[in-house]
């Protein structure tokens, strides 16, 4: 995981997330020797943090899905595309204060019924700042006894 405070890392993620330069995310393949592959142990599926349908239509892609697809090729763990759904539109997390980020994502995700057949998944996101997104997804999974771990391309420290 890279530091989001690094200007080059932040720039790469912003280009891939907001300017359709998602091909930059393939850099993950070049750095796969730095990935701790133990995070995939026992993992049955990769779950990309979902976007709200209208936001996805506007952007045209979900960068977390792209990251999950790349990780799937590296790890041979399949991507579960519709395991978690974002059912409410929220403000973008960028620029929100910590408490606002935590409140912004309360009760916006729902779990697909297919999830209950799984024991362990890996939640995939692009950037972790307050962990509010990952935590909300993990709570859903934990409620039905699914163990989860997470992978993020970068973190704010």
């Amino acid at each position: 995981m890279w530091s989001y405070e690094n200007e080059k890392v932040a720039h790469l993620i912003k280009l891939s997330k907001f300017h359709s330069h998602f091909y930059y995310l393939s850099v993950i393949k070049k750095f796969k020797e730095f990935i701790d592959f133990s995070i995939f142990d026992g993992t049955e599926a990769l779950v990309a943090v979902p976007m709200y349908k209208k936001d996805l239509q506007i952007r045209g892609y979900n960068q977390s899905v792209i990251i999950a697809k790349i990780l799937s090729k590296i790890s041979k763990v399949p991507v579960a595309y519709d395991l978690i759904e974002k059912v409410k539109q929220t403000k973008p997390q960028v620029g929100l204060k910590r408490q606002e980020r935590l409140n912004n994502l309360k009760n916006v995700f729902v779990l697909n019924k297919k999830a209950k057949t799984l024991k362990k998944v890996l939640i995939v996101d692009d950037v972790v700042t307050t962990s509010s997104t990952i935590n909300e997804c993990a709570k859903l999974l934990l409620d039905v006894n699914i163990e989860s771990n997470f992978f993020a391309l970068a973190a704010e420290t």
Side-chain angles (χ1 to χ4, degrees):
M1 192 178 309
W2 294 319
S3 170
Y4 194 64
E5 279 90 27
N6 179 302
E7 278 184 43
K8 291 179 181 177
V9 170
H11 186 67
L12 179 142
I13 290 172
K14 286 174 186 170
L15 285 173
S16 66
K17 187 171 186 169
F18 301 115
H19 301 287
S20 301
H21 297 295
F22 48 82
Y23 48 84
Y24 285 135
L25 297 173
S26 65
V27 73
I28 297 167
K29 293 177 201 168
K30 296 187 187 303
F31 292 95
K32 69 181 181 184
E33 66 267 13
F34 297 105
I35 296 173
D36 178 1
F37 276 82
S38 69
I39 63 171
F40 300 107
D41 290 349
T43 298
E44 298 169 279
L46 304 178
V47 180
V49 170
M51 292 176 65
Y52 184 66
K53 287 179 183 177
K54 190 178 269 186
D55 293 335
L56 181 58
Q57 288 172 340
I58 291 167
R59 186 178 294 167
Y61 62 93
N62 177 342
Q63 69 283 353
S64 295
V65 169
I66 294 168
I67 295 168
K69 286 179 178 180
I70 294 167
L71 289 174
S72 179
K73 287 180 184 173
I74 294 170
S75 68
K76 308 297 185 228
V77 176
V79 178
Y81 292 99
D82 59 353
L83 207 64
I84 298 175
E85 181 182 355
K86 187 173 184 184
V87 293
K88 295 179 186 173
Q89 192 168 30
T90 58
K91 296 177 189 174
Q93 293 284 84
V94 175
L96 296 180
K97 293 181 174 138
R98 178 175 174 71
Q99 194 58 47
E100 291 172 321
R101 286 176 180 243
L102 297 172
N103 292 334
N104 192 38
L105 294 174
K106 291 280 184 211
N107 304 313
V108 301
F109 297 110
V110 295
L111 203 56
N112 183 309
K113 292 175 186 171
K114 290 189 283 186
K116 294 177 183 178
T117 63
L118 299 171
K119 300 283 184 232
K120 184 177 179 185
V121 300
L122 182 72
I123 303 167
V124 179
D125 205 358
D126 57 348
V127 178
V128 172
T129 50
T130 60
S131 300
S132 55
T133 305
I134 296 289
N135 287 338
E136 287 298 314
C137 292
K139 281 182 210 174
L140 280 176
L141 296 162
L142 193 57
D143 284 347
V144 293
N145 296 317
I146 299 172
E147 184 183 339
S148 65
N149 203 342
F150 77 93
F151 175 92
L153 196 54
E156 217 172 75
T157 53

